[in-house]
Amino acid sequence: MKTLFILAVATLLAAGFACRAAMAASASPPLLTVEYVDLNRYVGTWYEIARYPNSFQKGCLGSNAHYALRQDGDIDVVNSCRDVEDGDIRRAKGRAWVVDKASNARLKVSFFWPFRGDYWIIELGKDYEYAVVGTPNRKYLWVLSRTPVMDNEVYAAIMERVRRQGFDPERVIRETNTTRKNGAS
């Protein structure tokens, strides 16, 4: 009987923690995107300046993405980085498509069917010199730039704005100029 009571209390505590975690995740305000993205200006090459850690980029240095408009209106995506273990270039080819035609700021991206993920442009430099991409569940975040290096003041201001959007700047991995010079693509 005592074991059953302990098991019941443990189950209730676990359920309470799970509920609390779910409430905390939903407590974030809705993720805001930019008002409008001109896809013709957005396509091209972007260098990753920083990101949240994720499994598919583990061991990557010098990540960059190249986007190209397709005839059907979708976007070809080629992500690449240098593998820290062997120095080889790793590439992933995928496709993105706009899901919010009014703004072009909310996209889905897929690197192999049937899996797809959100790609929301939450900040964009006025001259398309940088972009910040995140997901509404705050699991993924990328800071991108048209150049391999970003000014520290610009970066700090971006980190403050993503914090206000519900992201944790302490989780961000930032690539350094040294990292890029030492073997990044």
Side-chain angles (χ1 to χ4, degrees):
M1 184 64 119
K2 186 176 181 180
T3 305
L4 189 58
F5 175 75
I6 291 172
L7 184 60
V9 169
T11 302
L12 286 173
L13 284 173
F17 285 126
C19 183
R20 197 163 153 193
M23 285 174 47
S26 67
S28 295
L31 186 61
L32 302 176
T33 60
V34 297
E35 284 187 32
Y36 182 75
V37 178
D38 178 345
L39 293 177
N40 288 307
R41 291 183 70 192
Y42 193 81
V43 295
T45 300
W46 290 95
Y47 297 91
E48 180 184 285
I49 300 301
R51 70 173 181 266
Y52 265 7
N54 61 64
S55 61
F56 49 87
Q57 285 184 281
K58 189 173 179 112
C60 271
L61 286 178
S63 296
N64 63 65
H66 184 78
Y67 306 124
L69 281 176
R70 298 164 32 131
Q71 297 250 327
D72 63 6
D74 288 352
I75 300 167
D76 281 326
V77 179
V78 179
N79 291 341
S80 61
C81 72
R82 187 167 302 280
D83 190 288
V84 295
E85 294 290 316
D86 58 20
D88 287 346
I89 300 294
R90 293 175 13 194
R91 284 191 177 79
K93 295 180 181 182
R95 180 179 65 90
W97 59 97
V98 173
V99 294
D100 175 9
K101 302 273 187 202
S103 72
N104 291 336
R106 294 180 183 181
L107 297 93
K108 291 280 188 187
V109 64
S110 177
F111 288 93
F112 54 96
W113 185 87
F115 303 101
R116 64 184 135 223
D118 291 313
Y119 181 105
W120 288 19
I121 303 166
I122 62 173
E123 191 169 328
L124 193 55
K126 70 177 178 115
D127 294 321
Y128 287 64
E129 71 276 16
Y130 71 85
V132 181
V133 176
T135 57
N137 63 4
R138 303 334 193 259
K139 185 175 179 182
Y140 298 103
L141 177 72
W142 291 271
V143 177
L144 308 173
S145 175
R146 292 296 189 179
T147 59
V149 179
M150 179 178 277
D151 177 81
N152 286 331
E153 288 181 22
V154 171
Y155 179 79
I158 289 170
M159 287 298 103
E160 176 55 31
R161 290 188 295 271
V162 298
R163 184 193 59 74
R164 288 189 300 232
Q165 281 257 46
F167 291 95
D168 179 3
E170 296 297 316
R171 290 190 51 214
V172 174
I173 300 169
R174 183 178 182 188
E175 289 222 19
T176 63
N177 193 19
T178 306
T179 313
R180 287 200 178 277
K181 285 181 183 174
N182 292 333
S185 55

